[in-house]
mmCIF file of all heavy atoms in Angstrom:
data_model
loop_
_atom_site.group_PDB
_atom_site.id
_atom_site.type_symbol
_atom_site.label_atom_id
_atom_site.label_comp_id
_atom_site.label_asym_id
_atom_site.label_seq_id
_atom_site.Cartn_x
_atom_site.Cartn_y
_atom_site.Cartn_z
ATOM 1 N N ALA A 289 15.119 -105.216 74.100
ATOM 2 C CA ALA A 289 15.285 -103.767 73.959
ATOM 3 C C ALA A 289 16.382 -103.449 72.960
ATOM 4 O O ALA A 289 16.238 -102.547 72.117
ATOM 5 C CB ALA A 289 15.608 -103.147 75.317
ATOM 6 N N TRP A 290 17.475 -104.171 73.018
ATOM 7 C CA TRP A 290 18.575 -103.924 72.086
ATOM 8 C C TRP A 290 18.212 -104.364 70.667
ATOM 9 O O TRP A 290 18.619 -103.734 69.694
ATOM 10 C CB TRP A 290 19.833 -104.626 72.584
ATOM 11 C CG TRP A 290 20.490 -103.877 73.719
ATOM 12 C CD1 TRP A 290 20.154 -102.644 74.177
ATOM 13 C CD2 TRP A 290 21.584 -104.312 74.514
ATOM 14 N NE1 TRP A 290 20.983 -102.283 75.225
ATOM 15 C CE2 TRP A 290 21.862 -103.284 75.455
ATOM 16 C CE3 TRP A 290 22.353 -105.480 74.544
ATOM 17 C CZ2 TRP A 290 22.891 -103.393 76.391
ATOM 18 C CZ3 TRP A 290 23.367 -105.584 75.485
ATOM 19 C CH2 TRP A 290 23.637 -104.552 76.392
ATOM 20 N N ALA A 291 17.438 -105.444 70.563
ATOM 21 C CA ALA A 291 16.975 -105.859 69.236
ATOM 22 C C ALA A 291 16.044 -104.804 68.638
ATOM 23 O O ALA A 291 16.102 -104.505 67.437
ATOM 24 C CB ALA A 291 16.271 -107.209 69.330
ATOM 25 N N GLN A 292 15.187 -104.216 69.473
ATOM 26 C CA GLN A 292 14.304 -103.155 68.995
ATOM 27 C C GLN A 292 15.095 -101.926 68.569
ATOM 28 O O GLN A 292 14.771 -101.284 67.562
ATOM 29 C CB GLN A 292 13.313 -102.801 70.101
ATOM 30 C CG GLN A 292 12.313 -103.903 70.404
ATOM 31 C CD GLN A 292 11.526 -103.658 71.677
ATOM 32 O OE1 GLN A 292 11.706 -102.640 72.354
ATOM 33 N NE2 GLN A 292 10.647 -104.586 72.033
ATOM 34 N N ALA A 293 16.133 -101.585 69.321
ATOM 35 C CA ALA A 293 16.979 -100.444 68.956
ATOM 36 C C ALA A 293 17.619 -100.669 67.588
ATOM 37 O O ALA A 293 17.722 -99.742 66.773
ATOM 38 C CB ALA A 293 18.049 -100.230 70.026
ATOM 39 N N ARG A 294 18.030 -101.902 67.325
ATOM 40 C CA ARG A 294 18.645 -102.211 66.038
ATOM 41 C C ARG A 294 17.648 -102.024 64.899
ATOM 42 O O ARG A 294 17.988 -101.473 63.841
ATOM 43 C CB ARG A 294 19.177 -103.641 66.052
ATOM 44 C CG ARG A 294 19.997 -104.011 64.815
ATOM 45 C CD ARG A 294 20.491 -105.451 64.881
ATOM 46 N NE ARG A 294 21.167 -105.707 66.142
ATOM 47 C CZ ARG A 294 20.740 -106.595 67.040
ATOM 48 N NH1 ARG A 294 19.631 -107.295 66.820
ATOM 49 N NH2 ARG A 294 21.408 -106.793 68.145
ATOM 50 N N VAL A 295 16.415 -102.458 65.113
ATOM 51 C CA VAL A 295 15.394 -102.313 64.071
ATOM 52 C C VAL A 295 15.133 -100.839 63.774
ATOM 53 O O VAL A 295 15.087 -100.414 62.602
ATOM 54 C CB VAL A 295 14.090 -103.028 64.495
ATOM 55 C CG1 VAL A 295 12.928 -102.636 63.580
ATOM 56 C CG2 VAL A 295 14.284 -104.533 64.486
ATOM 57 N N VAL A 296 14.966 -100.021 64.813
ATOM 58 C CA VAL A 296 14.714 -98.586 64.602
ATOM 59 C C VAL A 296 15.890 -97.939 63.886
ATOM 60 O O VAL A 296 15.701 -97.105 62.985
ATOM 61 C CB VAL A 296 14.432 -97.894 65.953
ATOM 62 C CG1 VAL A 296 14.351 -96.378 65.773
ATOM 63 C CG2 VAL A 296 13.131 -98.409 66.550
ATOM 64 N N ALA A 297 17.117 -98.305 64.245
ATOM 65 C CA ALA A 297 18.292 -97.738 63.585
ATOM 66 C C ALA A 297 18.327 -98.125 62.110
ATOM 67 O O ALA A 297 18.644 -97.292 61.250
ATOM 68 C CB ALA A 297 19.566 -98.204 64.290
ATOM 69 N N GLN A 298 17.990 -99.362 61.808
ATOM 70 C CA GLN A 298 17.969 -99.803 60.409
ATOM 71 C C GLN A 298 16.948 -99.019 59.601
ATOM 72 O O GLN A 298 17.200 -98.622 58.460
ATOM 73 C CB GLN A 298 17.664 -101.300 60.344
ATOM 74 C CG GLN A 298 18.790 -102.190 60.845
ATOM 75 C CD GLN A 298 18.360 -103.639 60.960
ATOM 76 O OE1 GLN A 298 17.198 -103.939 61.219
ATOM 77 N NE2 GLN A 298 19.304 -104.555 60.773
ATOM 78 N N VAL A 299 15.787 -98.784 60.209
ATOM 79 C CA VAL A 299 14.725 -98.048 59.503
ATOM 80 C C VAL A 299 15.110 -96.586 59.316
ATOM 81 O O VAL A 299 15.020 -96.036 58.212
ATOM 82 C CB VAL A 299 13.397 -98.168 60.271
ATOM 83 C CG1 VAL A 299 12.341 -97.241 59.667
ATOM 84 C CG2 VAL A 299 12.897 -99.615 60.260
ATOM 85 N N LEU A 300 15.565 -95.936 60.391
ATOM 86 C CA LEU A 300 15.862 -94.500 60.312
ATOM 87 C C LEU A 300 17.078 -94.208 59.450
ATOM 88 O O LEU A 300 17.115 -93.193 58.745
ATOM 89 C CB LEU A 300 16.078 -93.936 61.724
ATOM 90 C CG LEU A 300 14.867 -93.938 62.647
ATOM 91 C CD1 LEU A 300 15.215 -93.277 63.979
ATOM 92 C CD2 LEU A 300 13.681 -93.228 62.006
ATOM 93 N N ALA A 301 18.092 -95.069 59.492
ATOM 94 C CA ALA A 301 19.302 -94.837 58.708
ATOM 95 C C ALA A 301 19.129 -95.248 57.254
ATOM 96 O O ALA A 301 19.987 -94.943 56.422
ATOM 97 C CB ALA A 301 20.482 -95.584 59.323
ATOM 98 N N GLY A 302 18.042 -95.940 56.961
ATOM 99 C CA GLY A 302 17.804 -96.350 55.581
ATOM 100 C C GLY A 302 18.489 -97.642 55.199
ATOM 101 O O GLY A 302 18.416 -98.062 54.041
ATOM 102 N N ASP A 303 19.174 -98.311 56.159
ATOM 103 C CA ASP A 303 19.825 -99.582 55.844
ATOM 104 C C ASP A 303 18.805 -100.626 55.407
ATOM 105 O O ASP A 303 19.037 -101.394 54.473
ATOM 106 C CB ASP A 303 20.576 -100.119 57.074
ATOM 107 C CG ASP A 303 21.772 -99.264 57.442
ATOM 108 O OD1 ASP A 303 22.027 -98.282 56.722
ATOM 109 O OD2 ASP A 303 22.442 -99.586 58.436
ATOM 110 N N ASP A 304 17.707 -100.653 56.132
ATOM 111 C CA ASP A 304 16.641 -101.609 55.833
ATOM 112 C C ASP A 304 15.320 -100.976 56.247
ATOM 113 O O ASP A 304 14.826 -101.205 57.352
ATOM 114 C CB ASP A 304 16.883 -102.925 56.580
ATOM 115 C CG ASP A 304 15.850 -103.993 56.222
ATOM 116 O OD1 ASP A 304 14.958 -103.699 55.396
ATOM 117 O OD2 ASP A 304 15.941 -105.111 56.767
ATOM 118 N N PRO A 305 14.735 -100.171 55.381
ATOM 119 C CA PRO A 305 13.489 -99.472 55.737
ATOM 120 C C PRO A 305 12.346 -100.417 56.095
ATOM 121 O O PRO A 305 11.381 -100.001 56.739
ATOM 122 C CB PRO A 305 13.161 -98.669 54.470
ATOM 123 C CG PRO A 305 14.463 -98.538 53.743
ATOM 124 C CD PRO A 305 15.200 -99.808 54.033
ATOM 125 N N LEU A 306 12.455 -101.684 55.685
ATOM 126 C CA LEU A 306 11.391 -102.648 55.959
ATOM 127 C C LEU A 306 11.747 -103.572 57.125
ATOM 128 O O LEU A 306 11.077 -104.593 57.339
ATOM 129 C CB LEU A 306 11.103 -103.479 54.709
ATOM 130 C CG LEU A 306 10.633 -102.681 53.476
ATOM 131 C CD1 LEU A 306 10.389 -103.607 52.298
ATOM 132 C CD2 LEU A 306 9.386 -101.867 53.791
#
Side-chain angles (χ1 to χ4, degrees):
W290 283 352
Q292 292 168 1
R294 187 180 308 117
V295 168
V296 173
Q298 290 171 329
V299 171
L300 294 183
D303 292 358
D304 184 0
L306 299 180

